[in-house]
Amino acid sequence: VGIEERVAIQLRETHLMGMPLQSFLDPATSLYDIASITFPGSITMLSEHFRCVEPIIRFSSRFYPKALVPLRLPTASERLDPPLIDVYVPHGRKLRDQNQAEAGWIVDEIDRITSDPATAKRSIGVISLIGNKQAKLIQDMLTKRLGTDVLVRNRIMCGNAATFQGQERDIVFLSMVACPVTARSQTTRSIAQRFNVAMSRARDRLYLVRSVKASDLNGGDLKLAIIEHFARPMGDATVAQPLDVLEACDSDFEKQVGGRLLRMGYRVKPQVPVAGFKIDFVVEGARDKRLAVELDGDRYHGPDRWTDDLRRQRALERMGWVFWRCWGSHWVADPEGCMQDLLATLQRIGVEPISGDFSPTAWTRYITVGEDEMTSEETPTEEAPTVVGASESRENIEAVAPAESASTANASHEDDAAVAPGDVILVRFADPNQLRDFRFSAEEHDLEKGIIGLRQPLAQVLIGSSVDDEVEFTVGGQARIAVVERILKAM
């Protein structure tokens, strides 16, 4: 953690030669990958998630065999409604791996957040989805605008997905950087791993700041998948519209208990979804105090449900939830005694009557920079990595230029952050997962030494590409995809 990928590989080759699984010890390989190799046929994967609210973490479920079970329901002071903000910057342009328009909007919004008493203490992260230069630009702009005291107070951190591995922040901004002129597909497993990390760092709110529309992107592009997630973060589920608490109850038992709590002035939310099931009532008070109320014994909580209910309750209790349960038969026999026990529990944990509602109004807010802000519920809107050795044959390589317009090619060649003759480029092949560096030369062409002549087809594909671009080419008649990992500019 915290060192360049190339340095990590050099350390591996120097100190871990001959070690079992040596070829798998690579920054692109996760602990899950190594565990699946060490214990084949007995794969253990993450099943519960505690960091992000559900509309955020649902994107990452696509990377696991089974959907993650989100166990976090933020308290009143933690909740940010809505949790997703989709910001479209129509005039944004990528130049030299930076997008000044996206950076400017992000800095303005962070200035607003840190100046607002309601959010002034929130921790903040900014992740560039293409390279490090955008993150460096935003970091410099924030330092100049806010000063180091605010950056320290709000734990403001800027970087790429790798920088945020193991990190989390209350609020995270994703800068997509790409624009319609320069956008290329991002589909490989290594890109998917980065996007998975980037999309799962925010606890309570995630901003997507983009200069492309869905129609600007190709199917299968992970950038498109992110945009689609913001449009439908909960799939077909809709945001429950505010309604009478008692109308949402499943039984007369619930209506009787809920009605008495409401008449006493408690803030009551019925049928609260969390961890894949619903809590009958959440009673919320000041200072983030709350109590989960489960009412058992009717046709919705028969004996077949008891085991599952208790298992889910224990999972939530690990997160600090306090439950109060009541059997229907007990309520029928002694409603006053049950109510006194409920009130005593509320008083013991500090939940007092408080007015107001805490229902979400939307999953996503949509903003087009330069237009009025709009809020809506929805818009229709591996193999182990290895390093190719110098002795490995790399003959018979021919390139297949990616589809792009003339304006795209010209823009890429004019960009001084793009690959140019004389540069050294670090490329990660998608299948199999390999790292390889190439140097361009106008005088010679020797693939054994990693030297590519400028007139060669592969050079024509790589020249003009930028960090995180995917290029397609053919080796010995087999189509391959590679991602530009790093560019070392010629002096």
Side-chain angles (χ1 to χ4, degrees):
V1 175
I3 62 175
E4 293 184 3
E5 186 171 38
R6 194 171 186 177
V7 175
I9 293 172
Q10 289 173 346
L11 290 171
R12 181 191 71 183
E13 298 298 317
T14 302
H15 300 289
L16 300 178
M17 291 296 293
M19 179 179 178
L21 301 178
Q22 178 231 340
S23 62
F24 296 91
L25 301 179
D26 178 278
T29 305
S30 71
L31 286 175
Y32 291 122
D33 296 327
I34 296 175
S36 67
I37 297 166
T38 309
F39 305 102
S42 179
I43 300 175
T44 300
M45 296 296 290
L46 184 67
S47 60
E48 297 178 343
H49 182 84
F50 294 86
R51 180 190 302 117
C52 312
V53 294
E54 186 172 3
I56 294 176
I57 196 55
R58 274 216 177 190
F59 178 84
S60 294
S61 287
R62 71 188 63 206
F63 302 114
Y64 297 90
K66 294 183 179 179
L68 296 173
V69 178
L71 293 176
R72 183 161 181 274
L73 188 67
T75 61
S77 67
E78 294 172 328
R79 261 192 315 271
L80 291 175
D81 181 26
L84 298 173
I85 310 288
D86 185 350
V87 182
Y88 175 50
V89 186
H91 57 284
R93 292 294 178 266
K94 176 191 170 190
L95 183 63
R96 302 180 184 90
D97 286 345
Q98 296 177 339
N99 189 315
Q100 292 277 350
E102 290 184 10
W105 192 92
I106 290 171
V107 170
D108 288 344
E109 182 69 359
I110 291 177
D111 191 359
R112 186 194 65 79
I113 291 171
T114 56
S115 301
D116 185 344
T119 54
K121 295 183 179 180
R122 295 287 187 142
S123 59
I124 299 172
V126 180
I127 301 177
S128 169
L129 292 180
I130 294 181
N132 287 310
K133 292 187 177 182
Q134 180 77 347
K136 177 63 165 57
L137 171 65
I138 295 171
Q139 178 81 37
D140 292 344
M141 293 172 68
L142 287 171
T143 302
K144 184 177 181 180
R145 173 84 69 90
L146 304 179
T148 56
D149 289 345
V150 174
L151 267 64
V152 172
R153 183 192 72 190
N154 293 85
R155 297 178 57 224
I156 296 176
M157 178 178 179
C158 303
N160 58 18
T163 308
F164 276 80
Q165 184 73 55
Q167 297 285 335
E168 64 179 47
R169 293 295 187 272
D170 297 329
I171 301 170
V172 170
F173 292 80
L174 302 180
S175 180
M176 195 167 275
V177 186
C179 68
V181 174
T182 63
R184 292 187 180 181
S185 291
Q186 294 176 285
T187 62
T188 63
R189 185 184 179 195
S190 62
I191 295 292
Q193 290 173 328
R194 297 180 202 174
F195 279 31
N196 182 23
V197 171
M199 288 287 288
S200 60
R201 300 303 99 189
R203 288 165 48 83
D204 300 307
R205 173 167 284 174
L206 181 63
Y207 286 81
L208 172 63
V209 185
R210 57 186 173 92
S211 303
V212 292
K213 298 178 294 186
S215 58
D216 297 322
L217 304 172
N218 297 323
D221 191 337
L222 286 161
K223 296 190 293 297
L224 177 60
I226 291 178
I227 293 174
E228 291 175 340
H229 173 76
F230 272 71
R232 295 173 58 83
M234 301 293 287
D236 294 329
T238 58
V239 176
Q241 298 302 311
L243 48 76
D244 185 273
V245 170
L246 302 185
E247 290 180 3
C249 294
D250 285 335
S251 67
D252 289 338
F253 180 18
E254 291 179 12
K255 291 179 180 179
Q256 292 176 37
V257 177
R260 296 186 67 162
L261 288 170
L262 289 171
R263 288 192 292 273
M264 293 178 183
Y266 284 96
R267 179 192 287 181
V268 179
K269 175 70 175 179
Q271 303 300 314
V272 178
V274 62
F277 78 114
K278 293 182 178 180
I279 301 173
D280 292 333
F281 293 118
V282 171
V283 186
E284 189 173 80
R287 301 180 301 279
D288 289 340
K289 303 295 184 179
R290 60 187 178 183
L291 177 70
V293 175
E294 284 286 87
L295 305 174
D296 304 316
D298 59 19
R299 61 191 179 94
Y300 295 96
H301 288 273
D304 59 319
R305 289 278 304 276
W306 296 344
T307 300
D308 288 341
D309 283 352
L310 289 175
R311 184 184 301 114
R312 291 165 180 149
Q313 176 178 329
R314 292 191 187 100
L316 292 176
E317 285 174 338
R318 298 202 310 269
M319 299 180 62
W321 280 87
V322 178
F323 277 77
W324 183 83
R325 304 190 77 98
C326 180
W327 295 98
S329 56
H330 292 172
W331 179 264
V332 171
D334 184 12
E336 294 304 321
C338 293
M339 199 67 201
Q340 289 303 314
D341 186 63
L342 172 56
L343 294 175
T345 303
L346 288 167
Q347 184 176 16
R348 175 172 54 82
I349 66 175
V351 178
E352 301 171 354
I354 183 174
S355 60
D357 181 63
F358 57 97
S359 303
T361 59
W363 304 126
T364 306
R365 176 183 300 136
Y366 303 93
I367 300 172
T368 297
V369 175
E371 297 181 6
D372 292 336
E373 182 175 321
M374 298 178 293
T375 301
S376 171
E377 178 184 329
E378 256 177 33
T379 3
T381 354
E382 162 167 278
E383 289 180 295
T386 58
V387 178
V388 180
S391 61
E392 183 176 336
S393 175
R394 289 180 291 275
E395 295 296 344
N396 301 319
I397 298 180
E398 58 179 303
V400 180
E404 61 178 9
S405 65
S407 59
T408 302
N410 292 337
S412 297
H413 284 284
E414 292 170 0
D415 188 344
D416 64 12
V419 178
D423 294 344
V424 174
I425 180 172
L426 185 66
V427 173
R428 179 177 291 279
F429 294 95
D431 183 22
N433 193 0
Q434 303 170 330
L435 276 175
R436 180 74 181 104
D437 59 287
F438 295 103
R439 178 170 62 84
F440 299 99
S441 172
E443 292 79 27
E444 58 180 319
H445 174 68
D446 189 338
L447 292 176
E448 292 295 332
K449 298 180 180 178
I451 301 173
I452 302 177
L454 292 178
R455 296 183 179 181
Q456 299 300 313
L458 181 56
Q460 297 304 307
V461 171
L462 291 172
I463 290 176
S465 59
S466 299
V467 171
D468 290 341
D469 277 352
E470 289 184 5
V471 296
E472 184 180 352
F473 57 97
T474 299
V475 181
Q478 180 181 3
R480 300 187 68 182
I481 295 177
V483 178
V484 178
E485 292 272 339
R486 193 176 307 279
I487 301 171
L488 304 178
K489 303 300 292 182
M491 300 299 293

